[in-house]
């Protein structure tokens, strides 16, 4: 086996990495996985402390991720979580570097985006695992001397032993293999000239020392004649930097001015303007509000239920299922929209989830199914549009299946990020790309309709006034 440039006696046979493992990172990303998922990094990406890593020519988003790395001792195959830690020989610091410019091209495999030479620094020391409490380890990251990441394994979504045990049921973990166990919130982008340091320790106890990596500008780019080349968009910038604000991007939510305009304009006016633009199928039909006097305005987060099936509910209905994950991560000003296929034979949410959404600042909930604890949900104060109350729990008719996907609700298609507006007349879904145009036109039409109403109230006939002929149009433009 070739020698290793890192702290290990030999280069690892394989390096496995967890996609998303810390609650802080999940909250930052706005998604919380039900189970761990993984990718492979080539052993040639392993590097030692004190080295450099290149940001290839023509790229922008070299991301760092401070992590706890586990070094496998005794081979593990189909071991339980109760014995998994016995197969870990050591713990060290890792920097799971990645190039977000190639992330979209990889579509989750991370071969190119995470596999570059020097993209897995390890070290400088390996702490013996036996005697360490896997639930009491800490990882910290500094960029140019500033602390940017700090978390402990108490904040993991999946305990370290579970990660080892889960991997071992799929493949043999061999002696010397390395498992990167995910990064907490605070990971971001580095540029040439930056220095990243990562340390793993037991607070007030043993420490690995700081793993130090300097970023340098590479001289070589990528040949488009050989394969895909780097490409970035605002989504990758947001993911790389950790937030839109950190990436210098405008907020994804509605601006205060646009939200105020949406609060003013009736859904009937929005529906009319959308119909003029060929969109006559954007109303969520059959739902009624629990607070008819309250306006609902926000960006859609979507939740899909599929018809109940006992085996599927057993695998997807319990624990932190898709329904609970969405209510646990909904953001301020967002609207949870639920596809329940118009099925009214059970509830799709109850008072506990309504409270959770309200506490997190959600704008409301729209479901084409029933609501359990309807009076209690109404008392929470959050606007909810539904097909009415039903006493039965979710599992009677539904299996919570997926989140943040395109769904059907009340006869209309809803995509994540669509603008959802509700009032006493019902709910309208406005494509995000059209909302400014549609709102401006709707407000202009509202002003015109108000003037016409005033003329009718003054005794004028509607003929020639509604809609306005040339005479009334000229008068309106003169007086408005």
């Amino acid at each position: 086996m070739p020698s290793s440039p890192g702290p290990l006696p030999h280069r690892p046979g394989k390096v496995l990495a967890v996609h998303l493992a810390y609650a802080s990172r999940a909250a930052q990303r706005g998604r919380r996985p039900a189970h761990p998922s993984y990718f492979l990094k080539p052993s040639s990406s392993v590097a030692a402390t004190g080295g450099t890593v290149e940001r290839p020519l023509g790229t922008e988003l070299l991301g760092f991720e401070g992590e706890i790395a586990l070094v496998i001792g005794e081979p593990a195959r189909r071991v339980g979580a109760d014995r998994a830690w016995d197969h870990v020989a050591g713990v060290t610091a890792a920097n799971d570097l990645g190039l977000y410019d190639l992330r979209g091209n990889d579509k989750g495999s991370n071969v190119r985006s995470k596999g570059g030479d020097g993209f897995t620094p390890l070290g400088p020391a390996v702490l013996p695992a036996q005697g360490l409490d896997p639930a009491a380890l800490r990882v910290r990251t500094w960029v140019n001397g500033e602390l940017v990441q700090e978390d402990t394994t108490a904040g993991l979504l999946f305990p370290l032993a579970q990660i080892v045990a889960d991997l071992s049921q799929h493949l043999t973990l061999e002696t010397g293999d390395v498992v990167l166990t995910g990064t907490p919130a605070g990971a971001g982008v580095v540029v040439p000239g930056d220095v990243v340091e990562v340390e793993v320790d037991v607070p007030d106890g043993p420490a690995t020392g700081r793993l130090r990596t300097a970023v340098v500008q590479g001289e070589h780019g990528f040949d488009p004649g050989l394969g895909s080349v780097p490409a970035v968009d605002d989504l990758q910038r947001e993911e790389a930097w950790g937030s839109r604000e950190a990436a210098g991007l405008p907020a994804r939510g509605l601006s205060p001015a646009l939200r105020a305009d949406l609060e003013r304009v009736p859904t009937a006016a929005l529906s009319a303007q959308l119909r003029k633009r060929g969109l006559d199928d954007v109303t969520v039909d059959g739902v009624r509000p629990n607070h008819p006097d309250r306006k609902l305005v926000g960006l859609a987060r979507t939740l899909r239920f599929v018809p109940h099936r006992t085996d599927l509910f057993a695998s997807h209905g319990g624990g932190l299922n898709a329904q609970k994950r969405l209510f646990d991560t909904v953001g301020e000003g967002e609207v949870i929209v639920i596809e329940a296929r118009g099925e009214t034979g059970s509830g799709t949410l109850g008072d506990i989830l309504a409270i959770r959404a309200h506490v997190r600042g959600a704008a409301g909930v729209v479901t084409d199914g029933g609501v359990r604890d309807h009076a209690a949900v109404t008392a929470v104060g959050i606007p909810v549009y539904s097909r009415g109350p039903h006493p039965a729990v979710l599992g009677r008719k539904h299996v919570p299946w997926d989140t943040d996907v395109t769904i059907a609700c009340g006869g209309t298609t809803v995509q994540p990020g669509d603008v959802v507006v509700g009032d006493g007349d019902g709910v309208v879904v406005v494509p995000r790309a059209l909302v400014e145009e549609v709102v401006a036109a709707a407000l202009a039409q509202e002003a015109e309709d108000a003037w016409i109403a005033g003329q009718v109230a003054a005794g004028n006939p509607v003929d020639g006034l509604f809609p306005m002929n040339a005479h009334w149009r000229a008068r309106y433009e003169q007086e408005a």
Side-chain angles (χ1 to χ4, degrees), residues 129-141:
Q130 302 312 308
L132 296 179
D133 181 355
L137 301 176
R138 177 173 64 176
V139 59
R140 291 180 291 174
T141 306

Side-chain angles (χ1 to χ4, degrees), residues 165-188:
D166 183 32
L167 283 168
S168 79
Q169 69 176 340
H170 298 286
L171 49 86
T172 299
L173 297 174
E174 300 173 311
T175 302
D177 285 350
V178 170
V179 179
L180 308 183
T181 59
T183 196

